[in-house]
Amino acid sequence: MIRMTLAEVAAAVAGTLHPAPHDTPDTVVDGNVDTDSREIRVGDIFVAKPGEVTDGHNFVAGAVASGAVLAIVEQRVEAPVSQIVVAEAVAALSDLARTVVAAVRDRGRLKIIGITGSNGKTTTKNMLARILEGEGETVAPRGSFNNEVGAPLTMLRVGEDTRFLVSEFGASGPGEIARLAGLVTPDVGVVLMVGLAHAGGFGGVEATLKAKTELVQAVRPGGVAVLNRDDARVATMADVAASRGVDVRWFGRGSAADVRAEDVEVTAAGTTCTIVAPEGRWPLRLRVLGEHHVMNALAALTAARELGVALDAAIARLETLEIAERWRMQPMGSERVRIINDAYNASPDSMAAALRTLAQIAGPGERKVAVLGAMSELGELAGEEHDRVGLLAVRLRIERIVVVGRDARRLYLAAIGEGSWDGEAVFFETSDDAFEYLRGELRDGDRVLVKSSNSAGLRHLGDRLGESFS
C-alpha cells in the first residue's frame, strides 16, 4: 500500500482512530493489507472481517504478534496496536482501496484493466499480467481474488510506481461487478463470454448478461471495452459502450475481430495458431493446454495492444506462460500416464471445452479417461446441464467416464443412457473410492482429465493421481 498516516486511513474508511500509546494520528503506515492473520508480516495492516464460521476479531492478537501495526475493526479489542473502528470491515476495505487507487492514478501513469466473463477470467488475468510485467510494475490478483474481499485486497497492493493494475471481477449475483469495478473505473474493460456459470445465482443467462455488462458500464469515458466478437451476448455490449463514450475493440476467431486467430491446432504440448491484426501476422505457440485458451490469449493480446504494447513483444511474453493457474488444465503425471487437473472451476461451457481438449490431445493408441464431478451454482438448470455433459463425453468417444459424487450422478446416468453401459462409465460416491479404482485401472498411454467445480473437491483427487503416476 502507499504511505498514509493513521489519520488519513481513518478518514478513508470513515472510522474512529484509537492510536496505540506509541503512535499518533501522524504515524505513517505502508505495509500490505490482509484479512488473513496468517499472511500478516511486520508493518502490515490487519482487517478483522467477521465471517460465517469464525470472526477476524479473534485473530487481532495473532496478527499483532506477527507484526501488524494497525487493525481495522468493528469493535475495539484488547491488543497493543492502533485500531480504527468502522461500521463494517468489508466496506472499509473497499473504501480504502478506492482511496489508494485514486491517489496513485492522480500522481502517476497507472492504467487499470478489469476482466470479467463466465469462464476464463483467471487465465486471461494471468496472461495479461505476464505481458504487462515486461512494461513496468504490474499488480494482479493471486489465484482467483475476484470477490468483495479479494478484489480490494489486490487493489491495495498498488504502490507509487505501479504501472498496471489488472483486476478480475467475479460475481454470484447482480450488482457485484458494478460495485467492485466502480471502485476503480477501469481504463480497459475485458468481457470474455456470457455462459451458464453461476446462472443459479443470477436467475438465468439473460440476468448473467446484465451483470457482466456492468463492467462495460464502469469503464471510464474515453476508455476501451475489449469484447468477444464471437459471443452474440457479449457483442450486444458495444451499444452500451458507445452510449458511454467508450471505444470498442473486438477479439475472436472471425474476420470481424480486430485481433483474431487462424489455423488453430491443439496437441498435448499446447496450442498453436496465427495471430492476425491490422499491423501484421505472427505465430503463437501457447504452452497452456486447450483450444479454448486461444480466446483468452486473444483477449489478453487485444487489451495489451490498447495499452501500447507491440503485439510481437506481447506474443513472445505470452509464450513463456506454462500453465494458466494451479488446478486449471494443469499437466501432471508423466508421459506414461498424463493427468490434466482442471478441477478448480466448472461450468457447462468449460466442461465441454475440457472434454474436447481431451479428445484432441489423445493420439493413436492412447486411451481417453474423464474423471468428472459436479458443476455447482446452476440452479434449476443443474439436471439438464449434467445430462448434456454425460452425452457429450460419450459422443466424443471417451473410453472411460469416471463420475464422482452424488451431485454428479445424473451425468453418469446420462452417459449410461447414451450407450456407455458396458463398463465404460462408472460411478463412485467418494474421491477415495475413485482413486482406488483409477490406481488399478489406468495404464500406459492413458490421457486423463479431472474436471469439476471447486466444491466437489476433485482437484485433490487430481493431485493424488498426478503424484501416483509421476
Side-chain angles (χ1 to χ4, degrees):
M1 193 183 78
I2 62 174
R3 290 170 59 85
M4 297 178 70
T5 66
L6 294 178
E8 288 171 334
V9 175
V13 301
T16 302
L17 173 62
H18 300 274
H22 54 274
D23 288 336
T24 72
D26 292 327
T27 297
V28 173
V29 293
D30 62 356
N32 290 328
V33 181
D34 216 306
T35 59
D36 187 342
S37 62
R38 296 167 297 182
E39 298 295 325
I40 294 295
R41 301 294 180 266
V42 175
D44 287 353
I45 299 166
F46 178 63
V47 179
K49 178 179 72 70
E52 295 180 3
V53 177
T54 187
D55 188 337
H57 294 79
N58 297 330
F59 299 93
V60 173
V64 174
S66 296
V69 295
L70 173 64
I72 296 176
V73 296
E74 294 183 1
Q75 63 267 342
R76 291 187 69 180
V77 300
E78 289 295 328
V81 67
S82 292
Q83 299 176 41
I84 297 174
V85 179
V86 297
E88 186 181 351
V90 173
L93 194 64
S94 291
D95 290 339
L96 185 57
R98 181 190 295 109
T99 300
V100 167
V101 171
V104 176
R105 192 181 225 163
D106 288 344
R107 297 173 196 169
R109 301 176 296 166
L110 178 66
K111 294 292 185 181
I112 301 168
I113 307 93
I115 300 172
T116 196
S118 297
N119 296 301
K121 295 183 293 296
T122 299
T123 299
T124 304
K125 172 263 298 183
N126 288 340
M127 288 178 166
L128 183 56
R130 177 61 59 90
I131 293 169
L132 295 178
E133 285 165 358
E135 302 293 313
E137 182 180 305
T138 299
V139 170
R142 303 190 300 262
S144 294
F145 267 36
N146 60 24
N147 62 11
E148 62 179 356
V149 174
L153 287 177
T154 297
M155 296 168 189
L156 286 166
R157 288 167 47 213
V158 165
E160 300 287 359
D161 298 324
T162 303
R163 285 280 312 277
F164 303 103
L165 167 63
V166 182
S167 288
E168 176 184 340
F169 298 126
S172 57
E176 292 183 29
I177 293 174
R179 286 193 296 273
L180 294 175
L183 298 178
V184 293
T185 57
D187 299 282
V188 178
V190 181
V191 184
L192 301 169
M193 66 176 297
V194 174
L196 290 174
H198 310 296
F202 287 109
V205 71
E206 292 306 317
T208 304
L209 167 61
K210 185 177 180 181
K212 301 304 181 186
T213 304
E214 292 170 7
L215 176 56
V216 176
Q217 294 167 328
V219 173
R220 66 167 181 82
V224 177
V226 174
L227 303 179
N228 181 350
R229 189 67 181 85
D230 298 351
D231 187 308
R233 294 187 179 95
V234 175
T236 65
M237 299 180 191
D239 292 338
V240 176
S243 70
R244 290 184 43 80
V246 172
D247 291 335
V248 172
R249 298 292 181 270
W250 301 105
F251 67 93
R253 300 280 290 271
S255 59
D258 297 296
V259 180
R260 67 181 190 272
E262 296 180 350
D263 306 321
V264 178
E265 293 187 13
V266 180
T267 70
T271 306
T272 63
C273 65
T274 300
I275 301 297
V276 182
E279 56 267 44
R281 302 168 63 93
W282 299 268
L284 170 64
R285 297 172 181 84
L286 277 179
R287 300 190 197 185
V288 182
L289 289 175
E291 183 174 355
H292 52 297
H293 287 310
V294 170
M295 292 297 286
N296 300 328
L298 289 172
L301 291 169
T302 306
R305 179 174 177 258
E306 291 306 305
L307 293 164
V309 184
L311 277 177
D312 55 348
I315 288 169
R317 294 168 192 162
L318 192 54
E319 289 181 333
T320 67
L321 192 68
E322 295 184 4
I323 64 170
E325 183 82 32
R326 187 182 181 191
W327 299 316
R328 289 176 172 86
M329 299 302 285
Q330 181 181 1
M332 306 179 77
S334 63
E335 281 305 309
R336 186 171 67 85
V337 177
R338 174 64 68 194
I339 311 295
I340 303 170
N341 194 349
D342 192 31
Y344 190 83
N345 273 322
S347 68
D349 295 310
S350 67
M351 272 279 197
L355 285 168
R356 291 191 180 100
T357 298
L358 177 64
Q360 289 170 321
I361 67 172
E366 295 178 343
R367 190 172 60 157
K368 302 177 289 294
V369 180
V371 183
L372 306 176
M375 301 176 287
S376 62
E377 300 184 63
L378 292 176
E380 63 183 15
L381 300 173
E384 63 185 85
E385 292 303 329
H386 282 88
D387 290 346
R388 290 178 192 274
V389 172
L391 297 178
L392 178 63
V394 175
R395 291 168 183 174
L396 289 173
R397 300 178 185 273
I398 307 298
E399 285 88 354
R400 284 289 182 274
I401 302 169
V402 181
V403 182
V404 185
R406 190 171 301 173
D407 290 342
R409 187 171 177 82
R410 275 193 62 164
L411 194 162
Y412 164 71
L413 295 175
I416 294 290
E418 185 68 4
S420 186
W421 46 265
D422 192 20
E424 298 93 342
V426 293
F427 173 79
F428 297 97
E429 289 273 357
T430 70
S431 292
D432 287 341
D433 290 341
F435 176 74
E436 291 303 323
Y437 166 79
L438 289 162
R439 192 166 60 172
E441 171 68 19
L442 296 180
R443 63 189 188 220
D444 287 2
D446 284 353
R447 298 296 177 252
V448 185
L449 169 71
V450 183
K451 179 71 174 173
S452 74
S453 284
N454 192 14
S455 59
L458 264 61
R459 64 193 186 282
H460 303 303
L461 173 60
D463 286 345
R464 292 177 69 188
L465 290 171
E467 182 177 351
S468 181
F469 290 97
S470 63

